[in-house]
Amino acid sequence: MMQTTEKTVRARNTVIPALGFGTYELTGSDCREMVRVALEAGYRHIDTAQVYENEEQVGAGIKDAGTDRESFFLTTKVWFDNYEPAKLETSVENSLRKLKTDYVDLLLLHWPVFEGSMEPTLEALLKQKEKGRTKAVGISNFTLSQLEKACEITGQELVTNQVEYHPFLDQSKMLDRLAQKEMALTAYSPLARGKIFEDETVTEIARQHGVDAAQITLAWLLGQPGVVAIPKSSSREHALSNFKGAEIELSAEERAAIDKLGSPEGRLIDPSFAPDWD
């Protein structure tokens, strides 16, 4: 019997499957195959982006799986080269063509890189929802102050801020602010690019549960209100094993031990165009 990712997060009026399948750095036939495998295995949330240059392969994998479009959640992200309103519209049309779908469930601005005000770009993003190209809109990599500004412009429309989040990066302030706004935090790089497999605290808790560090980390993330996680996997075995993370119940003591690993200095993703982090 196929497992399915049944745990969900409600963000405003949008229901997001809490465990998603990330496709960053998956390319070519590997990407196509893993998207098919993920959907056939029961994942109901696929995450991609224009800059990953794999939307076409994601679309092919979706077609190969034959999964009913209404039964899974699809996210893509607009790259900042396309933030000028007319370019944004064209880029979204191109993304949909590559993904072989009429709409995505969630459309994000990938990074807060603006030549002037963010308002024209956010208004162009909202128009994509009005035109039915996406069911919901959100942002990614926005700081607390940028989040506030974006919400001032868009009202109650934004459903998530997709940011780096794992046991080594303290995101408590962002979590609190998003909770106040009834928005989700979507965690990318949730396994800290493999760093969790070297951590004694996480690996010891995993040993006691008879699972691996990835499953414990996902249990820690998905056990937090309002958190969605999108781990990438390049193997069927790991993609399937990640399901267990949604099923594991950690004790308060175990959660507290993992909480202590986080710090503001734990960030791993910090490109030259990144904002001045909070």
Side-chain angles (χ1 to χ4, degrees), residues 5 17-24 26 30-31 33-39 43-48 58 73 75 229-236 238-240 242:
T5 51
L19 179 62
F21 185 79
T23 63
Y24 176 59
L26 288 176
D30 289 342
C31 179
E33 174 69 5
M34 284 309 303
V35 168
R36 180 190 66 78
V37 164
L39 287 169
Y43 280 85
R44 289 298 173 259
H45 179 178
I46 305 292
D47 179 277
T48 184
V58 169
F73 192 96
T75 300
I230 48 169
K232 177 198 73 173
S233 177
S234 55
S235 80
R236 178 184 176 86
H238 291 152
L240 291 172
N242 285 343

Side-chain angles (χ1 to χ4, degrees), residues 92-106:
V92 172
E93 289 172 352
N94 288 337
S95 288
L96 295 179
R97 178 178 52 78
K98 291 175 182 176
L99 290 164
K100 300 178 177 63
T101 184
D102 296 329
Y103 70 95
V104 290
D105 296 276
L106 179 59

Side-chain angles (χ1 to χ4, degrees), residues 167-171 259-267:
F168 309 110
L169 180 61
D170 180 6
Q171 286 283 23
D259 289 345
K260 289 177 184 175
L261 301 175
S263 78
E265 288 73 47
R267 190 176 300 280

